[in-house]
């Protein structure tokens, strides 16, 4: 029987590349992927006594990694919070983009000024999008720039429809707030 240290060393050499590839695919960041793989092996080391061999080691490690990826996105999305007090101003620059239910208006409903034709506005908008968590950026860009269907976006991010709509709504609120703070019409 191998000692836990020898067993784990073997797994590191066998599975590091596969784990890194998956983490990089899910996060699009080399540094984050490396950290997640390192955290995966650290967790595996601490929990190796609980590994009973009922699954393949690779399956077990990927399970740990997937949980690390989920935790990464949860932590990242909690960074942004919105207080209802932040919306107490009477008139906001972006009010013309939203209806009374805080839903985006169709292009035909927005007043005659085309903000997207304004380079300064586009700079602010892109900056605001870049400040969103990575998966929130992906949703906004996929939906509104690439015109992808929500089902396809959910599948790509491996999230539920309700999670998609919640992230989408929160992302739009943050974009609205960011634009209001940075754009002077």
């Amino acid at each position: 029987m191998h000692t836990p240290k020898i067993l784990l060393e073997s797994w590191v050499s066998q599975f590091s590349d596969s784990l890194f590839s998956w983490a990089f695919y899910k996060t699009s960041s080399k540094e984050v992927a490396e950290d997640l793989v390192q955290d995966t092996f650290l967790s595996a080391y601490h929990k190796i006594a609980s590994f009973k061999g009922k699954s393949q080691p690779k399956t077990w490690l990927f399970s740990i990694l997937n949980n690390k990826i989920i935790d990464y996105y949860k932590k990242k999305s909690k960074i942004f919070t919105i207080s209802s007090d932040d919306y107490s101003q009477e008139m906001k620059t972006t009010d013309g983009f939203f209806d009374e239910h805080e839903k985006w208006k169709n292009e035909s409903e927005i007043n005659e000024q085309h903000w997207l034709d304004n380079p300064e506005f586009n700079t602010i908008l892109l900056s605001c999008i870049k400040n969103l968590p990575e998966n929130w950026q992906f949703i906004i860009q996929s939906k509104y720039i690439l015109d992808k269907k929500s089902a396809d976006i959910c599948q790509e991010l491996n999230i539920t429809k309700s999670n998609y709509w919640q992230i989408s709504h929160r992302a739009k609120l943050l974009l609205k707030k960011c634009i209001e703070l940075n754009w002077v019409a």
Side-chain angles (χ1 to χ4, degrees), residues 26-141:
K26 289 302 226 177
T27 64
S28 301
S29 168
K30 180 181 180 264
E31 294 79 18
V32 171
E34 288 171 346
D35 289 345
L36 290 170
V37 171
Q38 183 177 4
D39 289 347
T40 297
F41 283 117
L42 187 61
S43 289
Y45 178 76
H46 290 295
K47 298 177 183 178
I48 200 155
S50 70
F51 180 70
K52 305 293 184 207
K54 293 180 180 178
S55 65
Q56 294 296 316
K58 185 175 182 179
T59 304
W60 186 62
L61 291 169
F62 266 88
S63 175
I64 295 170
L65 176 60
N66 282 330
N67 287 327
K68 297 288 179 190
I69 292 168
I70 291 167
D71 291 345
Y72 165 77
Y73 279 113
K74 282 182 181 176
K75 181 179 176 187
K76 195 164 185 174
S77 68
K78 286 182 182 177
I79 293 171
F80 294 92
T81 57
I82 300 173
S83 165
S84 60
D85 295 340
D86 295 333
Y87 293 99
S88 60
Q89 298 173 350
E90 286 181 28
M91 183 64 178
K92 299 183 174 75
T93 305
T94 57
D95 282 348
F97 295 117
F98 299 90
D99 65 17
E100 64 276 2
H101 304 293
E102 291 293 328
K103 293 187 178 186
W104 288 81
K105 291 181 177 179
N106 294 328
E107 191 173 328
S108 61
E109 297 176 298
I110 298 175
N111 57 22
E112 68 280 346
Q113 185 174 9
H114 294 282
W115 293 105
L116 296 177
D117 292 336
N118 184 316
E120 291 86 13
F121 177 80
N122 280 325
T123 301
I124 298 292
L125 177 62
L126 291 175
S127 175
C128 290
I129 290 172
K130 286 181 183 177
N131 285 325
L132 295 171
E134 286 178 50
N135 57 339
W136 294 24
Q137 288 178 37
F138 181 82
I139 287 173
I140 293 298
Q141 291 172 343

